[in-house]
Amino acid sequence: MTETPAALREAHHADVSGGWLRPAVFGAMDGLVTNIALIAGVGGGGVSPRSIVLTGTAGLVAGAISMGLGEYTSVRSANEQVAAEVAKERRELERHPEAEARELADAWVARGLPRDLATQVAEAVRRNPEEALRMHVREELGVDPDEQPNPWSAATSSFLCFSVGALVPLLTYLLGFTSLWLALGVGAVGLFVAGAIVARFTNRPWWTSGLRQLLLGTAAAAATYLVGALIGIQGGLS
């Protein structure tokens, strides 16, 4: 059977412009690592299961709100910066169209296009102001002005994924178990699964992606557990 070339298929690339994947991945991983480390730290200090649940829940709520607001602000600010640069480029195209066309041709020549052909294409593009603007912004800024990430999408995905990630290490306590190590074990499974899921979008081996996240989360939990244990010992000796 003859395979259809990718270029002829309607969609052969994933959507990388929506602005949801990065904050979703970052939110889920941050929620997992933050609450696993937080629970490990206070658990290492010898506090009661009730205090662990209270600490973990506070970390979930505060972290999710912080992540959502942070993503919204950062994406909105980046979009506003792009919009300001697009407006600047629009003014330059209106005031100095010939110079801007030469600049576009020079960029293509630098990439290996013959000078005559580059100049002809740049002149043809100049006749369509909106396409000329899009071309100049893509060449000079490296962005597509029509495909900027949505700040609400980024904020929502970050908020929800952080909440889900932060909930995982709390599950055993919420179900009535009181073992710190059981909670950390469930959190470790969550880290591995989250890393393996991310591999679906990156074409990395699922097990290497899962192990990477597991190792990073384990290192964070070990550090905070040690700090909590040391503070707990010192408090007990004082």
Side-chain angles (χ1 to χ4, degrees):
M1 187 174 77
T2 304
E3 182 181 0
T4 303
L8 299 181
R9 295 199 292 268
E10 184 175 350
H12 62 279
H13 287 296
D15 180 11
V16 297
S17 62
W20 66 270
L21 180 58
R22 184 195 62 82
V25 172
F26 183 55
M29 296 305 177
D30 197 26
L32 276 163
V33 174
T34 296
N35 248 18
I36 289 172
L38 192 59
I39 289 172
V42 295
V47 302
S48 67
R50 177 181 174 82
S51 296
I52 292 177
V53 172
L54 176 60
T55 302
T57 302
L60 186 158
V61 175
I65 293 173
S66 177
M67 287 290 293
L69 292 177
E71 281 295 334
Y72 177 84
T73 302
S74 64
V75 173
R76 179 74 178 269
S77 298
N79 287 355
E80 289 172 349
Q81 183 183 28
V82 170
E85 293 300 318
V86 170
K88 184 190 301 183
E89 190 64 30
R90 187 187 297 275
R91 289 194 297 270
E92 287 299 310
L93 284 168
E94 292 171 351
R95 295 171 182 172
H96 311 290
E98 294 83 4
E100 289 294 313
R102 286 196 300 271
E103 182 184 27
L104 188 60
D106 289 341
W108 288 336
V109 170
R111 294 187 179 184
L113 208 62
R115 168 66 65 178
D116 290 345
L117 179 57
T119 300
Q120 291 175 13
V121 175
E123 286 297 325
V125 169
R126 185 163 71 91
R127 300 189 188 100
N128 185 335
E130 289 304 315
E131 185 60 30
L133 177 64
R134 187 177 299 107
M135 282 284 190
H136 280 272
V137 170
R138 291 176 65 178
E139 289 293 335
E140 297 178 31
L141 301 180
V143 298
D144 190 328
D146 296 331
E147 294 187 1
Q148 294 305 295
N150 186 316
W152 285 109
S153 174
T156 301
S157 60
S158 180
F159 177 90
L160 293 176
C161 290
F162 184 98
S163 300
V164 172
L167 181 63
V168 170
L170 281 174
L171 284 175
T172 58
Y173 285 103
L174 296 176
L175 292 175
F177 298 95
T178 59
S179 170
L180 173 64
W181 298 109
L182 178 60
L184 295 180
V186 171
V189 172
L191 282 169
F192 184 86
V193 171
I197 291 173
V198 170
R200 178 179 180 274
F201 300 98
T202 61
N203 287 331
R204 289 175 56 88
W206 63 270
W207 59 272
T208 59
S209 183
L211 283 177
R212 179 181 63 184
Q213 296 307 136
L214 177 59
L215 290 175
L216 292 173
T218 300
T224 54
Y225 179 86
L226 179 61
V227 171
L230 290 174
I231 294 175
I233 292 173
Q234 292 175 355
L237 294 176
S238 60

